[in-house]
Amino acid sequence: MVTDSEAEDRRIRRTKKNMQNAFILLLNEKDYHRITVTDIVTSADYNRTTFYRHYQDKETLVHDLIHSILEDLTESFRFPYKNKKWLTVDSLSSSNVIIFYHILDNINFYQLWKDSEGIPGFQSQFINTLIQLHKNDISNYANQELDMDDELFITYRAYGVWGLIINWIKSDFQIPVEDMTNQLIKILNYHPVSKYKLNNY
């Protein structure tokens, strides 16, 4: 049986989610800085009193929204090695690498980066989240035999993942999610050759 407290919590979560979704839709129509609280409550079909019961201002709504997105990103990143002591890269499969499914689950949010910056500063927060996950969760990440710097290698990987995602978004998700996942696994397992054939230029 659902208690009154649980029902209230659900109502609060639903109200917040509705206002966040309204804000995302507004970003398809207006620049971030031009969106007002009035715009949000009008789009979500609430009043200003309801808004201020949950948020101090637009920025606190955005903070809540981004926190939720990055929390889900963290869960999807950790999924392949959840409850494990080792992560074996060459044994990864499309069934346990789910970061692109995270993008699809939040497609209305991520589509904002197709033609514009979306929410200012989110790209940096996304990349920093990946960097911190690498640092906190994975030991001996870089190839020590080659005297590679962990910090630089992790940064390279994090920006690379963001680049794949942005390219996918800008292509209107033309590549199936399973293919994107398999390509990422191949990239993670790729060992660069010692020399490259150059084209004429």
Side-chain angles (χ1 to χ4, degrees), residues 153-178:
F153 189 69
I154 289 169
T155 301
Y156 167 79
R157 278 283 176 88
Y159 274 89
V161 170
W162 176 253
L164 287 175
I165 290 169
I166 284 295
N167 185 71
W168 195 38
I169 293 169
K170 290 184 180 296
S171 73
D172 283 326
F173 307 96
Q174 289 184 8
I175 301 175
V177 63
E178 295 85 0

Side-chain angles (χ1 to χ4, degrees), residues 66-108:
I66 290 177
H67 175 77
S68 175
I69 293 289
L70 294 181
E71 198 172 56
D72 191 66
L73 169 67
T74 297
E75 288 185 17
S76 69
F77 181 91
R78 286 176 166 161
F79 187 80
Y81 57 88
K82 187 177 181 180
N83 300 322
K84 294 181 179 179
K85 290 185 177 180
W86 292 90
L87 172 62
T88 308
V89 178
D90 58 10
S91 68
L92 290 173
S93 68
S94 58
S95 64
N96 56 28
V97 176
I98 62 171
I99 192 167
F100 292 107
Y101 290 94
H102 157 77
I103 303 299
L104 288 185
D105 286 343
N106 299 279
I107 191 169
N108 289 336

